[in-house]
């Protein structure tokens, strides 16, 4: 695996480069986000390890730029901020996981391996998912509802792909946490509800009929509005 580390503390950066390299991975390190973002434009990585507090640009701002550029590479945020609000901010802006400093390298390695085990969307059975007027193409990463192209973030795309893979069935919050975020625990946040609301604002609100329905106390279901 190729790992991009963005960390301004020299000692921590060297520690990560050495430890992740010893785990058998190719590690590229940057002390500031700007050169790292430039490199992301020309190279592909399997995991990004991103510090929350960075010089010149906050880690959250860097994360927003990464997701705004439709770069879906999983991101693990490192933060000295242990408050729940800070962790929620990272997750809701597109982070896949977070780790509070000081941390054990063995835990970071375990989290990287856990993310790496998640099935990539392109490796799942159906390349093109269709439901009534809605079409999702996993190869081109495009979504259409009728003649309208939907501009979804990488996380919204994964969320919709998971819903469409279970079309016509109730998808629970736990299922979404496991299949979209890879969590085997409840983060005790409104993570699912927040991103589902953003997805529905793009998928349903501009149209006459809703495709995603909330099943109170159960989860969500997506179905063809014409049936």
């Amino acid at each position: 695996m190729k790992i991009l580390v963005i960390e301004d503390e020299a000692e921590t950066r060297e520690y990560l480069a050495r430890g992740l390299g010893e785990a058998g991975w190719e590690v590229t390190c940057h002390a500031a986000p700007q050169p790292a973002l430039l490199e992301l434009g020309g190279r592909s990585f399997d995991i990004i390890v991103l510090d929350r507090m960075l010089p010149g640009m906050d880690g959250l701002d860097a994360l927003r730029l990464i997701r705004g550029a439709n770069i879906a590479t999983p991101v693990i945020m490192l933060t000295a901020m242990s408050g729940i609000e800070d962790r929620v901010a990272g997750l809701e802006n597109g982070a896949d996981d977070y780790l509070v400093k000081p941390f054990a390298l063995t835990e970071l390695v375990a989290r990287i391996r856990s993310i790496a085990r998640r099935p990539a969307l392109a490796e799942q059975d159906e390349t093109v998912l269709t439901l009534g007027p809605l079409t999702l193409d996993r190869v081109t990463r495009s979504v259409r509802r009728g003649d309208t192209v939907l501009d979804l973030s990488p996380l919204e795309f994964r969320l919709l792909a998971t819903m469409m893979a279970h079309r016509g069935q109730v998808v629970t919050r736990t299922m979404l946490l496991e299949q979209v975020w890879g969590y085997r625990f409840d983060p005790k946040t409104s993570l699912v509800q927040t991103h589902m609301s953003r997805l529905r604002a793009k998928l349903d609100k501009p149209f006459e009929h809703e495709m995603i329905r909330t099943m109170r106390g159960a989860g969500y279901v997506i179905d063809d509005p014409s049936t």
Side-chain angles (χ1 to χ4, degrees):
M1 280 198 302
K2 296 179 181 178
I3 300 178
L4 175 64
V5 173
I6 310 172
E7 166 63 63
D8 65 313
E9 295 178 0
E11 186 176 347
T12 303
R13 191 169 61 250
E14 292 168 7
Y15 172 67
L16 291 172
R18 182 175 63 254
L20 298 177
E22 289 173 351
W25 300 321
E26 179 183 328
V27 185
T28 300
C29 293
H30 285 283
Q34 291 86 348
L37 293 173
L38 286 174
E39 186 155 12
L40 270 173
R43 289 187 60 192
S44 61
F45 292 89
D46 299 295
I47 300 283
I48 299 170
V49 178
L50 174 65
D51 188 29
R52 174 68 168 78
M53 303 295 290
L54 292 167
M57 181 186 296
D58 184 88
L60 278 183
D61 290 331
L63 178 60
R64 292 186 190 105
L65 287 174
I66 290 169
R67 295 307 186 223
N70 283 327
I71 297 172
T73 306
V75 173
I76 299 177
M77 292 205 78
L78 305 179
T79 178
M81 304 175 180
S82 58
I84 185 66
E85 296 86 1
D86 298 301
R87 298 198 297 272
V88 169
L91 293 170
E92 292 193 340
N93 279 281
D96 294 82
D97 203 351
Y98 58 83
L99 200 54
V100 177
K101 295 179 178 180
F103 58 88
L105 184 65
T106 51
E107 182 177 4
L108 176 59
V109 168
R111 288 172 184 255
I112 290 173
R113 285 176 174 155
S114 175
I115 289 176
R117 285 194 295 268
R118 298 180 193 173
L121 289 177
E123 294 174 354
Q124 297 174 4
D125 291 338
E126 297 176 275
T127 299
V128 178
L129 297 172
T130 303
L131 179 62
L134 186 63
T135 302
L136 179 148
D137 190 320
R138 284 183 165 131
V139 175
T140 62
R141 300 190 67 82
S142 61
V143 179
R144 287 179 175 272
R145 179 164 176 176
D147 295 327
T148 303
V149 177
L150 305 184
D151 182 17
L152 303 185
S153 71
L155 200 147
E156 290 162 354
F157 185 91
R158 294 206 305 266
L159 185 57
L160 180 59
T162 300
M163 291 291 297
M164 291 184 72
H166 300 279
R167 47 200 180 275
Q169 307 170 26
V170 175
V171 181
T172 67
R173 179 174 175 274
T174 299
M175 288 171 64
L176 292 173
L177 284 170
E178 289 183 352
Q179 295 180 33
V180 178
W181 283 271
Y183 290 167
R184 298 295 184 269
F185 64 95
D186 189 342
K188 305 296 183 184
T189 71
S190 59
L191 193 62
V192 173
Q193 294 92 323
T194 297
H195 286 284
M196 185 64 75
S197 177
R198 292 173 182 170
L199 173 61
R200 294 173 82 167
K202 297 177 181 180
L203 176 66
D204 285 336
K205 285 188 178 179
F207 301 92
E208 183 179 358
H209 300 291
E210 293 186 349
M211 297 192 69
I212 296 178
R213 293 179 290 120
T214 300
M215 310 301 288
R216 191 170 299 277
Y220 304 91
V221 63
I222 187 170
D223 51 26
D224 185 348
S226 65
T227 58

